[in-house]
Amino acid sequence: MNRIVQKKQLSNDVFQLKVEAPLIAEERKPGQFIVLMLNSDYGERIPLTIADASEKEGTISLIFQAVGKTTIELSQLNEGDEIANLLGPLGAPTHIEKFGKVVCVGGGIGVAPLHPIAKGMKEAGNEVITIVGSRNKELLILEDEMKSIADELIVCTDDGSYGRKCLVTEPLKELCEMDSKPDLVVAIGPPIMMKFCALTTKPYKVPTVVSLNTIMIDGTGMCGGCRVTVGGSTKFVCVDGPEFDGHLVDFDNMMNRLSAYKDFEERARHNCKMMAAADAKGGNS
Ligand code: FAD
Ligand code: FES
């Protein structure tokens, strides 16, 4: 059992939980994730990136968007509540070294997994330019945290309610066109955003790393649920990733696989909202 020691709401449906997990806090590296189960007897397993960790406190931070059944249930837990199972740290850590100029691009909730990577890149002596994007100002997360790490922070919103009114690919293209183009781009966000970031950097031959958010079940390379095609070969995101060369990922295939369970997910989300409404009325007591 892992106790929640702190809960913060970062935006309408994005939450940050600090959870007791001393062994994971000791071992984790930027880019790694955990798989959690809310209840040990039933329920699904979902992967979440380790957004931060404190070895001293023995805690890890998880930042997640309440998008469906399990993440909505997780958002309803409070300080003092417990998560039944946390497995991790999983996945290969981000390759961090002094590359030179590193552009970190985060879209939506992707800013959460990007934060420890941007921090690691800065600590390794890189010049770090961060581009963060969201649909509107309310959905923007971790702006201050990113500002404190980056040499330059560029904020974009789809509706222009904050920062530049554009997609993250616009400033990314401008940076690639400069004489001192980036030595590395790290892009994390919705699959469509990562696909277009990779397409933007490809003509400039700027190496681009993406972190894939496929469906995961066991998180240990056994079930094949997270398989993707990278450079024509099958890879498992949980053990071979989650980071891959964005220029080699077959994003269309990945997006097709991600939509395979839409009907089930919609039904589970609907049931979850009905249960919450019944609980609020005392109907389930
Ligand atoms: P559902 O309604 O079941 O699904 C909503 C959407 O989430 C689906 O369309 C699908 O795209 C995705 N999803 C559903 N089940 C899974 C699953 N078992 N594995 C992966 N994706 C699934 N989200 C965050 O908010 N913060 C993070 O830090 C984060 N890190 C991730 C790291 C990795 C390596 C991966 C693979 C995914 C990460 N995600 C993260 C996505 C997160 O796992 C899903 O949002 C979550 O599983 C949704 O479950 P649900 O039951 O709430 O929603
Ligand atoms: Fe099962 Fe990766 S989640 S093989």
Side-chain angles (χ1 to χ4, degrees):
M1 287 284 191
N2 303 80
R3 198 166 60 92
I4 297 170
V5 292
Q6 195 184 70
K7 177 182 181 180
K8 276 192 207 165
Q9 187 158 1
L10 302 186
S11 77
N12 193 27
D13 58 358
V14 176
F15 298 83
Q16 179 170 21
L17 297 181
K18 208 186 251 192
V19 184
E20 278 176 354
L23 295 178
I24 301 177
E26 216 173 281
E27 292 293 321
R28 72 95 212 192
K29 294 200 171 59
Q32 291 188 298
F33 63 95
I34 51 96
V35 167
L36 69 77
M37 264 185 92
L38 292 182
N39 189 296
S40 49
D41 298 327
Y42 58 88
E44 66 176 349
R45 300 152 62 90
I46 63 158
L48 293 175
T49 304
I50 304 166
D52 207 350
S54 163
E55 268 188 63
K56 203 168 138 217
E57 293 175 5
T59 57
I60 58 166
S61 289
L62 305 172
I63 298 181
F64 64 96
Q65 190 163 19
V67 288
K69 184 178 186 302
T70 305
T71 45
I72 291 174
E73 286 174 359
L74 185 61
S75 73
Q76 289 161 349
L77 297 182
N78 289 306
E79 287 169 17
D81 289 342
E82 289 181 329
I83 296 171
N85 283 320
L86 275 189
L87 174 68
L90 299 172
T94 308
H95 173 67
I96 291 181
E97 62 170 61
K98 189 165 178 187
F99 293 98
K101 188 195 257 190
V102 178
V103 177
C104 295
V105 191
I109 190 71
V111 177
L114 189 68
H115 177 250
I117 297 172
K119 197 171 161 194
M121 290 293 181
K122 185 67 199 164
E123 283 166 2
N126 292 289
E127 180 193 354
V128 175
I129 300 178
T130 305
I131 306 173
V132 294
S134 62
R135 272 181 280 134
N136 59 49
K137 184 172 192 260
E138 279 63 49
L139 299 175
L140 195 67
I141 58 165
L142 302 182
E143 185 192 357
D144 290 343
E145 288 80 354
M146 281 302 199
K147 201 181 270 172
S148 69
I149 297 165
D151 293 283
E152 186 184 347
L153 173 73
I154 302 168
V155 179
C156 315
T157 50
D158 295 2
D159 66 357
S161 51
Y162 193 55
R164 287 176 60 171
K165 183 177 191 295
C166 64
L167 299 175
V168 290
T169 42
E170 194 175 295
L172 179 60
K173 186 168 191 291
E174 290 163 8
L175 289 166
C176 289
E177 279 169 350
M178 287 169 69
D179 288 340
S180 60
K181 64 181 186 185
D183 296 292
L184 179 74
V185 168
V186 182
I188 310 185
I192 193 77
M193 182 210 97
M194 294 190 282
K195 172 181 170 173
F196 280 96
C197 284
L199 286 173
T200 301
T201 57
K202 200 170 180 184
Y204 302 94
K205 298 188 171 52
V206 174
T208 300
V209 171
V210 293
S211 179
L212 302 184
N213 49 347
T214 52
I215 297 283
M216 280 192 190
I217 300 159
D218 63 334
T220 60
M222 308 276 277
C223 70
C226 66
R227 72 178 179 276
V228 284
T229 307
V230 182
S233 307
T234 297
K235 297 282 176 193
F236 293 150
V237 174
C238 65
V239 286
D240 300 320
E243 289 168 14
F244 294 96
D245 179 342
H247 296 155
L248 299 180
V249 173
D250 184 341
F251 282 102
D252 294 335
N253 175 270
M254 175 185 151
M255 287 188 276
N256 268 337
R257 283 177 55 76
L258 270 173
S259 61
Y261 301 102
K262 280 276 175 272
D263 288 351
F264 294 105
E265 288 160 0
E266 191 45 53
R267 250 178 285 148
R269 186 162 36 239
H270 180 70
N271 290 343
C272 182
K273 283 187 176 160
M274 298 269 285
M275 300 256 297
D279 276 348
K281 282 189 197 161
N284 268 5
S285 57

